[in-house]
Amino acid sequence: VTDKVTVTVTEKSASYVYNGTERSITGYKSMTADNTLYDIADVAETPTAAWTAKGTDANKYPVGIAAADFENTSANFTNVEFAVVDGELEITPVTDKVTVTVVENSDTVTYDEQEHSVTGYKSMTADNALYDIADRRGRRRAPRRASTRWALPRPTLRTRASTSRTWRL
């Protein structure tokens, strides 16, 4: 038969929420021909590494099957075309609220009519183990350097500046 037959290969697709581990999908989910007489068993396929989409970070990763990865082996059909419907692995960001807590440094001074300051912080923690505090690529982050300034109002008063601030991201 010399009539054109189109064999459509539909790649797999999947979506996962980011969890810090590598995810992957491989191959296609269906292969169909637009001519009912054509038997898809007459298709030889050559899988390649591109058939696997894999990733860890929130992003979209394409499955890379190509029409050239398939060949018609039917003696009954000589005009067979292969079309690939793209699929992808999608890793979506975590949408749960993450609370980052910064504990600032502190100091105690005796009144001396001078302004004093404390800079830096003791610790920065997040309530979600998947959240990387060192990651500066994303949304608003806790400041790199926390600072508190105060002036003491009376000569006999001793003041300690210690605060804990929480940012909601």
Side-chain angles (χ1 to χ4, degrees), residues 4-8 32-34 38 67 72 78-83:
K4 183 171 123 181
V5 174
T6 300
V7 175
T8 302
T32 58
D34 65 356
Y38 187 81
N72 171 44
T78 57
N79 188 10
V80 178
E81 170 186 83
F82 294 94

Side-chain angles (χ1 to χ4, degrees), residues 2-134:
T2 58
D3 293 344
K4 183 171 123 181
V5 174
T6 300
V7 175
T8 302
V9 178
T10 303
E11 296 176 340
K12 289 183 179 178
S13 288
S15 181
Y16 300 99
V17 175
Y18 172 78
N19 70 358
T21 61
E22 184 177 80
R23 301 287 194 151
S24 67
I25 56 171
T26 301
Y28 57 90
K29 67 178 180 177
S30 66
M31 181 184 298
T32 58
D34 65 356
N35 184 324
T36 57
L37 296 176
Y38 187 81
D39 185 357
I40 59 168
D42 290 329
V43 174
E45 57 187 56
T46 306
T48 68
W51 283 33
T52 299
K54 59 184 172 180
T56 303
D57 293 327
N59 207 341
K60 292 181 179 181
Y61 302 89
V63 177
I65 296 175
D69 296 337
F70 300 93
E71 181 182 353
N72 171 44
T73 60
S74 172
N76 298 322
F77 292 86
T78 57
N79 188 10
V80 178
E81 170 186 83
F82 294 94
V84 177
V85 176
D86 293 334
E88 68 183 10
L89 167 66
E90 180 181 22
I91 301 175
T92 60
V94 175
T95 57
D96 299 342
K97 176 186 81 168
V98 176
T99 301
V100 176
T101 303
V102 178
V103 178
E104 297 176 329
N105 287 331
S106 63
D107 193 16
T108 302
V109 298
T110 302
Y111 180 76
D112 61 3
E113 296 183 16
Q114 301 297 314
E115 184 177 278
H116 298 271
S117 67
V118 175
T119 60
Y121 57 90
K122 291 180 183 179
S123 65
M124 187 183 312
T125 58
D127 66 353
N128 183 323
L130 294 175
Y131 184 81
D132 183 0
I133 291 172

